[in-house]
Amino acid sequence: MSDIQSHQTRRQHVTREEEADRCLNHTEFTKGSQLIVTLLFLFIVFGVPAAQHVVEIRENLKLRASWSPASGDPQPSLAPQVYDVFGLLPTSNEIKEARGFWGYWSLIPSGESISTFESSLKENSVLTKSLLSPAQAIMSSTLGVGNEKAYIGKAGWLFYRPDVEYVTSDGFLDPARLKLRAHGTSAIQPDPVLAIVDFKNQLAKRGIQLIVMPMTTKPMIHSEFLASTHSDKTPLQNPAFDKFKSELDRQGVLLFDPTPVLSEARTTTLLPQFLTADTHWTPNGMETVARALSRFLSAHSELAPVKSPGYLMQTLRISGQGDIAEMLKLPQGQTIFPKQEVALERVVNPDLSPWEVDSSSDILLLGDSFTNIYSLDSMGWGNSAGFAEHLSYDLGRPLDKIAINAGGSFASRRALAQQLASGRDRLAGKKVVVYEFSMRDLTEGDWKMIHLKDLPPVFHPKIEPSQPVKAVTPKPPIAMPSMTPLASKKLPKEPIHAVTTGPKPSGKPSTNTKPATIPVSSASKAPGAGGTKPTIKPLASNDLLVTGRIAARASTPKPGSVPYKDCLIALQLTDLKVNSGSVKGPNIIVYVWGLKDNQLVDGRYSVGQSITFKLSTWSSVESKYGGLNRQELESDEALSWAAFWGEIK
């Protein structure tokens, strides 16, 4: 073949560039098709914003029609949310009052405030609301597909992705994994052993015993609804957990493992131990673990006998959606994952008032959402029927509690340290601290080393085994046949033994007679969250009114990124001008709403902005907001600042 023929043969193969050039430069459109494409483009570009304006203005008109000057709230604006962008810019007064380079620098909108504004626009957009939920409904119902946070299992069961990753990931104590997490995008302390041992040593200086309770995750007990190949009844577990237990045992830390308790209860009763569409346990599972932990405390702790508070029970049924189902962002009123009804036993005082935290108790329970569910109304599963309430009932003694949704690896420890630093000695008179956290925090939590304010050691006289702690007879289980397709079977009368580590002294606890059970309908349920007084004293007209500049703020999680609908964020308020009342120190912490009912509400709080707040001391509202997920300031110095709840004036 000649060179000319070879060249002609090669030129028969058209390159991609040549093909694209032919398509773009030699394609002809009719006038009608040109008009249609142009109009479609203009409709997409301008139609969506126009529709957004129409929808928001109509909603704002409804809000304005229902607004009353007597409410004290400002009159709702008619302008759509997109115009709130001008609120990120400094006001003329702020520009006039700015001094020096850093004064003007602080007027620039922070990246956090801009990101929050953009996220809020996206969450409230017409396209998101009209397309995301229906698309997810089709994917979930027909394809069985969840999203980045939720896995759809069999028989309508849902699983939280971090819970699944806990049992499927490498050992959380693997040196390479610890190093990777410590030097990731956000610096954290990844080793739970270091933090727990440090916490134990600090408590030991005060004569207080620490008992650690890593809470079992849902896939560990009910893996049959997630993976059909797993037929073994043995609970799943992360490969590093045995090493974790042995390390704590070697350091003298007592560990109560609820996993064998829940596994045996599931096998012997055939009742589910976790909610179908929620990350948390059923009332049956929670009560079983509370009974086992009460016996563990009686056997391993030297607690003085106390007079029984005479707690009673109120029985009722309540239904809830489930936090994992809500993370799927399905349409309102969806029936793919219907509400689940459960039976609760509320713990009440002899006068039928809800169980309350007793700060003078010698036992302090530090917990997370596993402690709060069935205690906080905002979680959607009732109140006064949670883990702390039932543990207190089974022990037959009052209980102190600090429980915060999310951040089990540090949130409750940090809240304790904050109260100590502010002068409120929450450890006074304590002999035992029970530290409950989800096992998922072992793989993804930030195990910050938190220093407790130094206090003189507290002397506790030794109680001989002849003075046992009084305990109540375990209460019978509640059969819930409508909860799952599993067969119903009553729990055994005898509590199930927990697998434990650490020394066990001699001596057996005695038992008391169980108080009477008082049935009550859900309509007669007493108000208020369990563990706290339900009534908050309203603010007086001359309460604290402060104007200050936001020097720092905590970040807010994106809606749907965590299994909690509500979240508070901490603000550092400085340059204080007290209009009424008095404030000590140049800096204070002000907690405000960051996320409410899965909606961002914190766009107005930008660093450098000056705001006037009506403040309430945090201790006065802690019963109402203390259990909610809180995003704190990173500064250790902030632990000593006075904390308040703030409402914009």
Side-chain angles (χ1 to χ4, degrees):
M1 182 181 294
S2 64
D3 292 341
I4 295 177
Q5 291 175 327
S6 176
H7 177 72
Q8 291 175 345
T9 301
R10 289 196 299 269
R11 291 302 299 160
Q12 291 177 0
H13 301 285
V14 181
T15 65
R16 292 185 177 181
E17 290 79 5
E18 291 173 332
E19 183 179 1
D21 180 71
R22 291 178 183 180
C23 293
L24 293 174
N25 295 326
H26 297 84
T27 301
E28 296 182 356
F29 295 90
T30 63
K31 291 185 177 180
S33 61
Q34 291 177 356
L35 179 61
I36 292 174
V37 172
T38 301
L39 291 177
L40 182 62
F41 174 77
L42 293 176
F43 173 76
I44 294 174
V45 172
F46 297 103
V48 174
Q52 186 74 33
H53 275 63
V54 171
V55 170
E56 289 196 44
I57 290 174
R58 291 178 62 181
E59 292 178 350
N60 292 339
L61 283 172
K62 293 179 181 179
L63 292 175
R64 177 169 285 196
S66 61
W67 173 79
S68 171
S71 65
D73 297 326
Q75 186 179 26
S77 171
L78 291 179
Q81 184 184 8
V82 66
Y83 297 104
D84 291 346
V85 67
F86 296 109
L88 300 178
L89 302 177
T91 64
S92 57
N93 288 334
E94 289 173 339
I95 296 175
K96 292 178 181 179
E97 294 177 359
R99 296 292 183 271
F101 173 79
W102 293 111
Y104 287 102
W105 178 265
S106 66
L107 298 179
I108 301 175
S110 65
E112 175 70 23
S113 61
I114 295 174
S115 176
T116 299
F117 176 74
E118 291 176 344
S119 298
S120 182
L121 279 182
K122 182 179 69 174
E123 291 292 328
N124 295 317
S125 97
V126 172
L127 284 179
T128 299
K129 291 182 177 180
S130 60
L131 297 180
L132 179 61
S133 293
Q136 183 64 61
I138 294 173
M139 294 176 65
S140 298
S141 60
T142 61
L143 303 177
V145 177
N147 59 15
E148 70 277 7
K149 290 295 180 182
Y151 290 127
I152 298 180
K154 297 188 296 182
W157 278 65
L158 298 177
F159 293 86
Y160 186 40
R161 180 173 179 173
D163 287 346
V164 176
E165 290 177 345
Y166 169 74
V167 296
T168 58
S169 63
D170 296 334
F172 57 84
L173 291 180
D174 180 74
R177 181 182 178 88
L178 293 176
K179 183 177 180 180
L180 180 64
R181 295 188 63 221
H183 297 84
T185 54
S186 57
I188 64 171
Q189 200 294 100
D191 192 340
V193 175
L194 290 179
I196 292 173
V197 171
D198 177 70
F199 187 40
K200 175 255 181 185
N201 291 336
Q202 293 189 69
L203 293 176
K205 292 180 180 178
R206 296 165 168 79
I208 302 173
Q209 181 185 36
L210 174 65
I211 296 178
V212 173
M213 177 182 158
M215 181 55 209
T216 314
T217 62
K218 185 176 180 178
M220 297 170 59
I221 302 299
H222 291 294
S223 57
E224 73 276 11
F225 291 108
L226 182 63
S228 57
T229 57
H230 187 261
S231 59
D232 188 5
K233 301 302 182 182
T234 304
L236 298 178
Q237 185 55 271
N238 185 279
F241 189 72
D242 287 339
K243 180 180 179 182
F244 171 73
K245 288 201 301 183
S246 62
E247 283 294 317
L248 293 186
D249 186 45
R250 186 175 63 86
Q251 297 286 347
V253 179
L254 279 173
L255 183 143
F256 171 79
D257 184 3
T259 305
V261 178
L262 292 168
S263 178
E264 187 172 349
R266 172 188 171 277
T267 302
T268 57
T269 67
L270 300 182
L271 291 175
Q273 305 302 303
F274 283 81
L275 298 167
T276 304
D278 199 284
T279 56
H280 301 97
W281 44 13
T282 61
N284 263 345
M286 178 266 297
E287 293 168 19
T288 301
V289 173
R291 287 195 295 267
L293 178 59
S294 69
R295 294 199 329 276
F296 182 87
L297 284 168
S298 299
H300 291 79
S301 303
E302 297 177 345
L303 296 170
V306 297
K307 180 181 179 181
S308 174
Y311 296 132
L312 305 175
M313 288 288 185
Q314 291 178 328
T315 60
L316 70 151
R317 301 190 71 87
I318 191 169
S319 60
Q321 181 64 72
D323 54 11
I324 311 179
E326 291 176 351
M327 282 189 282
L328 287 174
K329 299 182 179 179
L330 296 169
Q332 291 290 332
Q334 60 85 23
T335 58
I336 304 172
F337 303 102
K339 290 186 176 182
Q340 180 179 2
E341 185 179 76
V342 297
L344 299 181
E345 290 190 36
R346 299 180 73 245
V347 180
V348 297
N349 294 307
D351 61 358
L352 302 186
S353 62
W355 179 94
E356 296 179 350
V357 163
D358 187 344
S359 59
S360 65
S361 171
D362 54 0
I363 302 177
L364 171 63
L365 172 63
L366 302 181
D368 58 8
S369 58
F370 278 95
T371 296
N372 279 334
I373 193 166
Y374 312 122
S375 289
L376 284 180
D377 277 316
S378 61
M379 296 187 72
W381 296 97
N383 61 62
S384 194
F387 184 60
E389 290 90 329
H390 280 270
L391 179 60
S392 177
Y393 175 87
D394 289 321
L395 287 170
R397 61 195 304 131
L399 198 69
D400 195 5
K401 177 185 75 169
I402 299 176
I404 302 174
N405 292 345
S409 57
F410 70 89
S412 59
R413 290 187 293 123
R414 193 183 192 282
L416 173 62
Q418 188 175 28
Q419 295 196 25
L420 292 174
S422 64
R424 185 182 179 189
D425 190 358
R426 201 65 177 267
L427 292 176
K430 297 295 183 289
K431 296 181 181 178
V432 176
V433 170
V434 178
Y435 181 24
E436 178 271 314
F437 54 84
S438 173
M439 285 189 185
R440 80 172 78 100
D441 286 314
L442 295 173
T443 58
E444 66 169 18
D446 184 359
W447 293 90
K448 301 177 182 180
M449 310 290 284
I450 296 176
H451 175 70
L452 305 179
K453 182 180 179 181
D454 292 332
L455 295 172
V458 179
F459 173 74
H460 296 301
K462 184 175 181 180
I463 305 300
E464 298 299 329
S466 59
Q467 296 177 303
V469 178
K470 295 183 179 180
V472 294
T473 304
K475 48 190 177 298
I478 307 170
M480 292 178 282
S482 61
M483 289 179 57
T484 73
L486 295 175
S488 175
K489 185 178 180 180
K490 289 186 177 296
L491 287 170
K493 293 183 179 180
E494 289 300 322
I496 301 168
H497 292 281
V499 176
T500 62
T501 61
K504 178 178 179 180
S506 59
K508 298 182 180 180
S510 62
T511 58
N512 291 333
T513 303
K514 176 183 175 181
T517 299
I518 302 178
V520 63
S521 66
S522 57
S524 63
K525 180 177 61 175
T532 56
K533 294 183 178 180
T535 304
I536 304 299
K537 184 179 179 181
L539 292 170
S541 58
N542 60 348
D543 268 314
L544 194 58
L545 199 65
V546 172
T547 300
R549 178 175 58 85
I550 299 176
R553 53 159 287 167
S555 59
T556 306
K558 294 181 180 180
S561 62
V562 293
Y564 313 105
K565 298 184 293 183
D566 301 323
C567 176
L568 308 182
I569 61 171
L571 309 176
Q572 176 190 353
L573 207 64
T574 190
D575 296 340
L576 305 177
K577 298 177 182 178
V578 182
N579 303 320
S580 65
S582 61
V583 174
K584 294 181 180 180
N587 296 285
I588 60 173
I589 293 177
V590 178
Y591 291 107
V592 294
W593 287 109
L595 199 64
K596 192 172 185 180
D597 199 22
N598 259 335
Q599 297 293 320
L600 289 165
V601 294
D602 69 333
R604 69 187 77 183
Y605 306 116
S606 57
V607 175
Q609 184 179 5
S610 293
I611 302 182
T612 299
F613 284 105
K614 182 170 66 174
L615 301 179
S616 307
T617 59
W618 180 248
S619 59
S620 68
V621 300
E622 187 177 8
S623 59
K624 186 175 182 180
Y625 303 116
L628 299 178
N629 180 15
R630 297 207 301 268
Q631 298 294 306
E632 302 280 3
L633 299 172
E634 293 296 329
S635 170
D636 291 337
E637 186 182 3
L639 292 174
S640 60
W641 297 340
F644 298 88
W645 170 255
E647 298 176 5
I648 292 182
K649 183 66 176 177

